[in-house]
Amino acid sequence: MANLSMKHLRYFDALARHGHFGRAAADCAVTQPALSVQIKEFEDLLGAPLVERGARQIRLTALGEAVAARAREVLTSVEEIANLTRGANGDFMRELRLGVIPTIAPYLLPALIKALAGRYPDLDVRPRETVTQRLIADLGDGKLDAAIVALPVSEPSLAETPLFEEEFVLVRSLEDAAKPVPNPQALREMRLLLLEEGHCFREQALSFCDIAPPAPRDLMEGSSLSTLVQMVGAGIGITLIPQMAVAIDTRSAAVSVARLGDPSPSRMVGMVWRKSNPLAAQLQQISDIVRDEGLRLLSDMNGRP
């Protein structure tokens, strides 16, 4: 085992995450043959196969699954040692692996990345867009440094920093623009379009309308807020979207937008990271920029419904 190296662990971790030699090689910035050689050498060092090689995909063996979990722990620990050293030396982080939920990412990320580039020109921002549950898991596994989500997440290992509150607005057809804004009880009688299961925004919309999760046959679902808005424009029903999404998602749809009555539904947007991260102070600085950009975007929407 004396020849075991961090390169073996990094390459195998990439293969375990991607499940594909080509994508893993691209992630590691090496050729596929070079990565394959390293994986085979790793297996030879351990004396057992880690991967079942198929024509189109790979599967990890039982040992491979166990080794992948331990490899991720080792890589996370090594990375945190490096972060600890940078923090002690007063150096700012060089890379930010930032997760963002899909109901925030398209609207906030462009402005945020530009702002971060202006403030920290040497910072390499690597965003990842997926649902909250996956982001929390990736944070715990050390695959992300921080995530922008709707709070609370109530995960004991994570620090939560509230940033700004965002209202939900009602989207309905243009023909209904002059009608009174329905209350939550009236909304329950309408065809409400929702995001697919797994999106926290779906649960927030159901909670506001005081609706128990409906049976699949009664449910109209979409994969994105933009899809929901286009469905509303086609006369299929109504939906709720966060205020930040209005400017982008309603510009090409035949819909009207209205604020809901008090108490209006809203969510608290915040940033989370591992409490054990030695660069927590730097992540706090980055969260200040996230807050400023979010508030600026919401402020720019003054005058909109």
Side-chain angles (χ1 to χ4, degrees), residues 3-302:
N3 293 324
L4 181 62
S5 70
M6 292 298 298
K7 181 185 292 186
H8 292 121
L9 296 181
R10 285 196 298 270
Y11 286 9
F12 182 64
D13 174 65
L15 183 61
R17 286 186 287 109
H18 291 284
H20 188 275
F21 275 95
R23 291 191 291 271
D27 190 12
C28 296
V30 298
T31 64
Q32 184 170 332
L35 183 131
S36 297
V37 167
Q38 290 295 321
I39 298 299
K40 183 63 170 63
E41 185 176 286
F42 190 26
E43 290 178 313
D44 291 342
L45 287 169
L46 296 178
L50 301 174
V51 178
E52 296 178 14
R53 293 163 173 81
R56 300 193 176 204
Q57 63 180 3
I58 65 100
R59 290 185 178 87
L60 299 184
T61 64
L63 177 62
E65 294 281 1
V67 171
R70 295 303 297 270
R72 171 45 40 192
E73 291 176 4
V74 171
L75 291 171
T76 299
S77 297
V78 170
E79 183 174 349
E80 291 194 345
I81 290 173
N83 285 341
L84 187 62
T85 302
R86 285 198 293 272
N89 293 336
D91 297 331
F92 201 81
M93 65 177 67
R94 293 189 295 267
E95 178 183 287
L96 174 64
R97 299 167 302 170
L98 182 65
V100 191
I101 57 176
T103 55
I104 294 177
Y107 322 110
L108 180 59
L109 265 182
L112 176 60
I113 291 176
K114 183 177 180 180
L116 288 172
R119 180 74 174 273
Y120 306 111
D122 296 328
L123 179 63
D124 179 16
V125 181
R126 300 193 175 188
R128 168 166 164 70
E129 178 185 337
T130 189
V131 296
T132 301
Q133 185 176 2
R134 290 291 305 276
L135 293 179
I136 300 308
D138 285 351
L139 278 169
D141 291 341
K143 297 175 184 177
L144 290 174
D145 300 305
I148 301 172
V149 296
L151 299 181
V153 295
S154 302
E155 173 56 51
S157 65
L158 299 180
E160 299 186 10
T161 299
L163 300 177
F164 56 88
E165 191 170 6
E166 179 183 24
E167 287 186 26
F168 304 161
V169 296
L170 174 68
V171 181
R172 51 187 177 170
S173 69
L174 278 176
E175 297 175 356
D176 294 337
K179 294 182 180 179
V181 177
N183 58 30
Q185 183 177 358
L187 289 176
R188 291 199 295 271
E189 306 301 320
M190 300 178 178
R191 179 178 288 175
L192 181 63
L193 310 182
L194 299 169
L195 289 173
E196 298 169 330
E197 288 189 13
H199 292 269
C200 60
F201 189 79
R202 167 198 176 97
E203 306 308 321
Q204 292 160 349
L206 288 172
S207 176
F208 171 71
C209 299
D210 194 20
I211 300 175
R217 66 178 182 274
D218 299 324
L219 184 61
M220 300 294 293
E221 293 182 331
S223 60
S224 69
L225 294 176
S226 178
T227 299
L228 296 183
V229 171
Q230 293 298 327
M231 291 167 70
V232 172
I236 295 176
I238 62 169
T239 194
L240 302 179
I241 65 173
Q243 188 182 3
M244 198 182 297
V246 171
I248 293 177
D249 287 341
T250 66
R251 62 189 175 189
S252 63
V255 298
S256 61
V257 180
R259 280 198 170 94
L260 293 153
D262 292 331
S264 59
S266 65
R267 65 179 176 183
M268 176 57 69
V269 175
M271 193 161 131
V272 297
W273 55 82
R274 293 184 305 279
K275 292 178 179 177
S276 62
N277 194 320
L279 295 179
Q282 297 183 9
L283 292 171
Q284 185 68 57
Q285 294 177 42
I286 289 173
S287 75
D288 291 341
I289 297 176
V290 177
R291 179 199 61 220
D292 292 345
E293 289 305 308
L295 290 174
R296 184 185 63 77
L297 285 174
L298 295 177
S299 177
D300 288 347
M301 297 189 64
N302 284 341

